[in-house]
Amino acid sequence: MKSRFAVGVDLGATTVKTGLVSDTGKILYQNKLPANGNLGPPAVINQIEASVRDVLTHANRKRPAGIGIGAPGVVDDSGTVKAPPNMAGWDVVPLKKRMKRIFPSQRIEIENDANAAAIAESKFGAGKKYPNFLFVIWGTGVGGGIILNNKIYRGPWGGAGEIGHISIDYNGPECNCGSRGCVEAYVGQRYLSQRTIERLKSRPDSKISELIGGDTSKLEPEIISQAAQQGDLLAKQMLSEAGTLLGVALAGVMNVMDLRVSIIGGGISAAGAFVIDAIQQSVQAHVLKPLRPDIRVMQAKLGNNAGILGAAGLVL
Amino acid sequence: MKSRFAVGVDLGATTVKTGLVSDTGKILYQNKLPANGNLGPPAVINQIEASVRDVLTHANRKRPAGIGIGAPGVVDDSGTVKAPPNMAGWDVVPLKKRMKRIFPSQRIEIENDANAAAIAESKFGAGKKYPNFLFVIWGTGVGGGIILNNKIYRGPWGGAGEIGHISIDYNGPECNCGSRGCVEAYVGQRYLSQRTIERLKSRPDSKISELIGGDTSKLEPEIISQAAQQGDLLAKQMLSEAGTLLGVALAGVMNVMDLRVSIIGGGISAAGAFVIDAIQQSVQAHVLKPLRPDIRVMQAKLGNNAGILGAAGLVL
């Protein structure tokens, strides 16, 4: 009989979160440990093991369908994790093989974290009704995952979904990646904060100034989002503008891949319906006319649980 | 036994070209008739029928594997052709069904013409060695097709591959499609000609002026391409710049879909190796760093025969 439970691991550079997940997307138990990403791969793998063992002891002797792991970095078809950002000494680690050695009787699947979150929204969240959509994580940076026919599109080398590095202005500002005008260089955390600080100079009455107590080093998108929720005009304007720019990039992808639906997750997307509306309007204005009536941009549903749920979804 | 021959139909608004094609991609016989695209669907279908019957009489009693048709416009999964440009009275025509009525014992497959050309390059041309690539047609406009795992990626509604309408400048010039800064609005025929006319004012010594006899209404990319082949500096500069801009759009798609190879067909791509080099350099400068060493941009191999070959490829 197919098991109706799975273990989902959401691995980050600072924490590892693991849950026991039912096939309807309920998290029946979960824990959270430091990931020790600064101490090298063996230390991280130890923490994953501890976290999974703890969950297994709470499985009430139900045998799970397997262990799924969502990991930062590029994950190739063999379950090798390459160059996850902010994790020391981690160039190329065959994580699937290592986990299989620790849990030989379990099925193990590993996926990139943005892809895992996309899978979570597809199986359990805002994408349940949509077999094809573009998932976006909009927070520190801009990442994403592509769901085609209810499955993740990984690309030939497992690196698909990098929507943050679509240029929306070939003459635009330089991006970390070496290109110019990438959408992440307009709407990612650092750039959005910088542009808001610029604008604050001529808008000292904005609630944002109050929230950061005049200290611009404290400004981050979370604060802009808070101010927007309290009705601050500058904050709303900054986020709407950013949503419009993000929409330009999404429209290009949706044209090329013939997609009609985009689901937006990540910290900034939670600022309010007006951000999602701004993205929707921009996508609609920039895609080809036959696509326009069917364009749907919506907010992700699973928030911080998407990582655990998507990881479990890999084996469910 | 599987047949080693197929009939391929390359349908355009002005001509219909049909060939008998071997499974190694040889065209054993071909003809060309007016398509009568201005006279409505029944007239066009009559011409397709005449053209196919003629090819069948040249098949030496070999039974072909079927009839493939590459058609302009969007082609859905049921073989219905929607809104092909420049074809009168052709809103939605169930072409596959109509063809099946005419040739009931033949297998019939229909595909969008850009997708058919991509399939041709995949099966018989520059893409034979590459299971995954982005195919581009650069001529009057900019179109394309995406090959994944040696198959065409059609998208959920059959409209995938519209790479001409990726915006490379959200503040850029308005495009026919209603968006702004689409790459087609920089490198498509009309725009490229306009910008060249602008530049000619300060470069009256350019060979382009000579080739058009001073009549700018005669300027088209073919002429720029000719001038470039004769070593004209302005012509080379215009095409290199255009190639660089096209590369920005391709880089975005290659990042998102995790593709490393792009094959460039269409009239302008034939101007010379320097155009392909310009695209290659631009893609390399704009994709994410891990992709750069593997980026290959190359010229399509099949030229005007891609339509017939790709159509035949649908049933081979």
Side-chain angles (χ1 to χ4, degrees), chain A residues 132 148 153 156-162 165-170 177 179 245 255-258 260 286 288 292, chain B residues 132 146 148 153 156-162 165-170 177 179 245 255-258 260 286 288 292:
Chain A
N132 304 285
L148 299 178
Y153 169 72
W157 285 268
E162 284 289 0
H165 299 283
I166 293 171
S167 176
I168 58 168
D169 183 356
Y170 66 91
C177 78
S179 180
L245 294 173
N255 274 339
V256 170
M257 300 198 67
D258 195 27
R260 308 291 206 260
H286 291 95
L288 291 165
R292 291 183 191 175
Chain B
N132 304 284
I146 300 160
L148 298 178
Y153 169 73
W157 284 269
E162 284 289 3
H165 299 283
I166 293 171
S167 176
I168 57 168
D169 184 356
Y170 66 92
C177 79
S179 179
L245 293 172
N255 274 339
V256 170
M257 300 198 68
D258 195 28
R260 309 290 205 262
H286 290 95
L288 291 165
R292 289 182 192 176

